[in-house]
Amino acid sequence: MKRNVFTVLIIATAILSATGCKKKEKEEVVVDHALTAVTVNDLENGGYYVKAGDSFYYAPVEDKSFNPNDPQGTRIDFIASKDSETGLEDPEANHRVLAFTNWDNAIPTLYKNDQLIYKSSSGDVSNFTWERFIDEGYSIGVSGLKANGAGKIVSKEGTMYYAAGTAYQQLSQLEIPANTDIIIDSMNGTPLNNTYLSDAGTITGLSKDAGIQANVFIGTTPQQVMMNADTRLFKSTEMYKTTNFELSANGYAIVKIPDYFKSGYYLINNVGFIKYIAVDRGNDESSISLDTPYYYVDEGGNLLTYYEWADKNGMATSELHDNSKSFNESELSINPEDYEEQASVTLDSTQENITAVIRYKYKDSGSEDNAVRNGIFPHAVLVKPDGTTKLFEQDDTLKIDQNDSYVYLRAESDTAPAGDYYVLYTNFDNIIKSLNMNYISGNADSYIHNGKDGRVSIYFEGSDAPHNITLKWEKNDRALTDIVIEAPDGTEYSMTKTPDNIIENSAGKFTIKVPYMASGEYTFRVKGDQLGRVWISTEESVTTVSELIGGEAVPETNADGTPVETESETNIDNESVEITEKKGEN
């Protein structure tokens, strides 16, 4: 079965050239086309089809305001995203318009469970450009009209008349002097002004096929012209590029539709025009919008995908983020076991403050691009023992410098009662991350160390006596690579700065002696490879610093002179804090 071809000339004729307008002259006049199913044997080379079941529906293109064979005509000015061939069209570039007069009822609809088919006997089929269009509705077959200084709608350079429309057929019969604008003053008695013009320069507010008596002026000479709102017009808005396809044994290519594509009208490779609905055929589509932008420009002029924009503005783009507005409400019920990836922390005594920081980055650019295009952003929530929750929020002030490629998420609570805490992760696949738990004030402390660097602050009472500060960690087959301890008075102890103060540095345990304990918060920066839970404790030492510096470390003894068991876990000044984790770093 062969389709009835409608052909138009791209080169404008001279009939309306005196107005500075362009238009096209049709070679064949055909009746309106209806959506018609064909079989695989009827597929024509160079054509795109929607395949639903065993039926194929041709994707037509009737008329354009641009010449697809002209390199300048195919160029779109758009704000590029990370993919330079994908982005949002410049809002000032409203010259790319599609017009359907005889083929408006033949535009096929593609659903997610359908297939987009391309038939070709030659040529490259590996690249597909998708130009998304907004439906401007039915109007007279004219685009690119302007409002002059008086607010009148006039034809100017760039105005396009579409050959199949009655507007062109009637206006082309008028004798128009050179360099004279056509003024469309009113329609059916209603005066027109710029409020009736769309961004594409089409006249809005008309019903399909409505009969129109237009008052037109050639200079100051009035003319009454009868025409119809018989042309459906579409304006370009966004551009995409894809390369994925499969070859079928039936002799055609199956073009793959990206998951991130939003419902709308798409022109593929300047050849086939379809309506795409991003649900399976048979589902309710009454609430689906066809013109929701995929790209946005933020206040800083940066191009954001729909999902980046929604995420930035607190809109729901993931399971975890769906409830983000309720995360600070005590009545929110979250079951930690519902989350595959989590970390748990147990505090044995109440602390003044708890702060959790997640540091992450994607393993590769492909993983990041997939997340951006599909709205799969990492989110985490801190659940406290009383059930209240804190959503982790991005905090760029934690970056080391401007070259720091990590993203930092922070959750903080001014109250830290004793009990079980959970950090719950969502969408952290293909991501490198670490978690730092920081507790302020109190005598019990520990934190989770599942990266290579961790930081924690602990409050200690002052003492003039020398003390041993001991760190023990869960994965006792691993040693520290470095540790820096900063006392409240600014004194710093570390492997490199005070090596003579080190009593023990072995897998699973590190002990360093300090000559006194300043009153206040000590800051510990611990480096190692995923040490697990880390305990920090202090006890008064019977070994003086001078003895330590003077030679070998003197073994620690109890008050009765018996040796201290070095592997026993002592917490004289501190309560213990247990931290466990489920599913470690990706």
Side-chain angles (χ1 to χ4, degrees):
M1 173 181 173
K2 296 293 183 181
R3 59 186 177 84
N4 194 0
V5 179
F6 177 85
T7 308
V8 295
L9 289 177
I10 297 299
I11 305 300
T13 66
I15 299 175
L16 294 180
S17 61
T19 67
C21 307
K22 298 179 181 178
K23 71 281 165 214
K24 302 172 184 179
E25 183 175 331
K26 57 187 177 179
E27 290 182 341
E28 295 181 40
V29 176
V30 295
V31 296
D32 285 348
H33 293 274
L35 188 65
T36 304
V38 299
T39 68
V40 67
N41 297 323
D42 298 315
L43 302 183
E44 297 182 8
N45 283 324
Y48 285 87
Y49 295 82
V50 171
K51 181 178 182 293
D54 294 327
S55 297
F56 297 80
Y57 299 89
Y58 175 68
V61 174
E62 186 171 339
D63 209 351
K64 312 179 184 74
S65 66
F66 51 94
N67 182 356
N69 298 316
D70 177 4
Q72 292 301 313
T74 59
R75 183 180 64 83
I76 296 182
D77 294 323
F78 58 86
I79 305 169
S81 65
K82 294 177 183 177
D83 176 356
S84 62
E85 297 185 64
T86 298
L88 179 66
E89 185 180 349
D90 186 334
E92 298 299 321
N94 294 311
H95 58 284
R96 293 180 67 88
V97 176
L98 293 179
F100 291 83
T101 304
N102 295 308
W103 288 84
D104 51 315
N105 293 319
I107 300 170
T109 300
L110 175 72
Y111 293 86
K112 271 196 167 183
N113 54 344
D114 295 333
Q115 290 180 338
L116 179 65
I117 300 302
Y118 177 61
K119 174 72 174 180
S120 176
S121 59
S122 63
D124 182 14
V125 296
S126 61
N127 294 289
F128 305 95
T129 58
W130 301 74
E131 190 172 353
R132 192 173 177 211
F133 283 77
I134 294 175
D135 187 359
E136 296 286 319
Y138 283 88
S139 183
I140 62 173
V142 184
S143 68
L145 295 167
K146 305 288 185 181
N148 64 14
K152 299 293 185 181
I153 295 178
V154 301
S155 63
K156 292 288 187 181
E157 179 66 28
T159 298
M160 181 67 71
Y161 295 78
Y162 300 99
T166 54
Y168 168 72
Q169 295 168 8
Q170 296 301 315
L171 290 171
S172 62
Q173 298 177 24
L174 301 179
E175 294 184 5
I176 305 173
N179 301 318
T180 301
D181 293 334
I182 297 175
I183 300 175
I184 305 177
D185 187 61
S186 65
M187 286 185 171
N188 293 339
T190 300
L192 300 182
N193 55 45
N194 58 0
T195 62
Y196 289 91
L197 278 184
S198 72
D199 291 339
T202 65
I203 296 175
T204 62
L206 301 177
S207 301
K208 179 181 179 181
D209 294 326
I212 297 167
Q213 178 177 303
N215 288 331
V216 174
F217 284 82
I218 311 300
T220 60
T221 304
Q223 299 279 352
Q224 284 195 347
V225 181
M226 301 301 299
M227 58 184 72
N228 296 319
D230 53 9
T231 304
R232 191 175 183 183
L233 300 159
F234 298 84
K235 179 181 75 73
S236 179
T237 180
E238 296 174 347
M239 174 69 83
Y240 309 81
K241 182 177 180 180
T242 65
T243 57
N244 293 336
F245 69 98
E246 294 179 0
L247 292 174
S248 169
N250 293 319
Y252 51 73
I254 303 171
V255 183
K256 295 299 183 181
I257 314 298
D259 290 339
Y260 64 85
F261 266 28
K262 302 186 75 63
S263 298
Y265 292 93
Y266 291 88
L267 175 66
I268 306 103
N269 279 357
N270 283 321
V271 175
F273 192 64
I274 63 167
K275 176 183 178 182
Y276 174 63
I277 303 294
V279 297
D280 287 348
R281 186 179 289 271
N283 288 329
D284 179 26
E285 56 188 271
S286 59
S287 62
I288 292 178
S289 171
L290 298 176
D291 56 6
T292 300
Y294 182 74
Y295 291 103
Y296 293 80
V297 178
D298 68 10
E299 60 277 5
N302 302 307
L303 184 70
L304 306 178
T305 68
Y306 166 78
Y307 299 107
E308 290 174 315
W309 174 82
D311 189 66
K312 182 177 181 179
N313 288 277
M315 298 173 63
T317 57
S318 70
E319 175 189 353
L320 182 63
H321 214 196
D322 283 344
N323 297 320
S324 63
K325 293 181 180 178
S326 302
F327 273 171
N328 293 321
E329 299 176 5
S330 59
E331 65 267 21
L332 178 64
S333 176
I334 292 182
N335 181 8
E337 295 307 314
D338 292 338
Y339 292 80
E340 178 183 359
E341 191 171 4
Q342 59 178 252
S344 62
V345 181
T346 301
L347 293 183
D348 288 340
S349 63
T350 296
Q351 304 293 297
E352 178 181 324
N353 172 286
I354 183 170
T355 302
V357 175
I358 297 171
R359 176 176 179 258
Y360 78 86
K361 69 178 179 180
Y362 290 92
K363 289 183 177 179
D364 52 63
S365 59
S367 298
E368 182 177 10
D369 186 63
N370 181 66
V372 167
R373 292 192 180 280
N374 293 282
I376 309 174
F377 295 103
H379 293 290
V381 63
L382 175 67
V383 183
K384 297 165 59 177
D386 59 3
T388 58
T389 54
K390 291 288 184 180
L391 182 69
F392 280 77
E393 297 180 353
Q394 187 168 331
D395 187 351
D396 292 336
T397 64
L398 298 175
K399 285 182 174 292
I400 298 174
D401 54 42
Q402 61 181 4
N403 297 319
D404 188 349
S405 62
Y406 282 87
V407 177
Y408 293 82
L409 303 177
R410 174 188 178 99
E412 183 175 5
S413 175
D414 291 336
T415 60
D420 295 330
Y421 292 75
Y422 292 90
V423 174
L424 308 177
Y425 300 95
T426 293
N427 298 334
F428 273 82
D429 295 331
N430 299 315
I431 282 178
I432 300 169
K433 70 178 186 303
S434 63
L435 172 67
N436 179 20
M437 302 291 286
N438 186 6
Y439 315 100
I440 303 299
S441 296
N443 292 325
D445 196 31
S446 178
Y447 77 104
I448 190 166
H449 183 106
N450 69 350
K452 296 184 180 298
D453 195 339
R455 188 182 184 93
V456 64
S457 297
I458 311 169
Y459 179 86
F460 291 114
E461 298 292 341
S463 172
D464 293 332
H467 275 64
N468 294 340
I469 299 178
T470 298
L471 282 78
K472 295 183 179 181
W473 48 95
E474 181 181 9
K475 297 180 181 179
N476 56 21
D477 59 336
R478 303 180 184 185
L480 297 181
T481 58
D482 194 14
I483 182 172
V484 176
I485 304 172
E486 184 177 342
D489 59 3
T491 305
E492 188 176 285
Y493 305 91
S494 68
M495 286 184 177
T496 56
K497 202 165 190 176
T498 56
D500 293 333
N501 289 46
I502 298 173
I503 294 176
E504 181 176 354
N505 182 10
S506 60
K509 184 177 180 182
F510 176 89
T511 301
I512 190 169
K513 186 180 295 294
V514 297
Y516 62 92
M517 293 295 294
S519 179
E521 290 179 359
Y522 281 70
T523 299
F524 295 79
R525 184 171 182 179
V526 181
K527 293 186 177 182
D529 183 19
Q530 299 189 53
L531 304 178
R533 61 179 181 175
V534 177
W535 297 271
I536 301 175
S537 61
T538 65
E539 62 181 357
E540 188 171 332
S541 175
V542 296
T543 304
T544 66
V545 174
S546 59
E547 289 176 318
L548 178 65
I549 297 176
E552 296 294 328
V554 179
E556 297 180 50
T557 60
N558 296 313
D560 59 1
T562 59
V564 173
E565 293 292 335
T566 59
E567 292 301 318
S568 65
E569 187 171 318
T570 58
N571 288 285
I572 295 177
D573 294 328
N574 299 291
E575 301 278 352
S576 66
V577 180
E578 181 180 359
I579 298 183
T580 60
E581 58 179 312
K582 177 180 176 183
K583 187 178 179 183
E585 178 180 350
N586 288 313

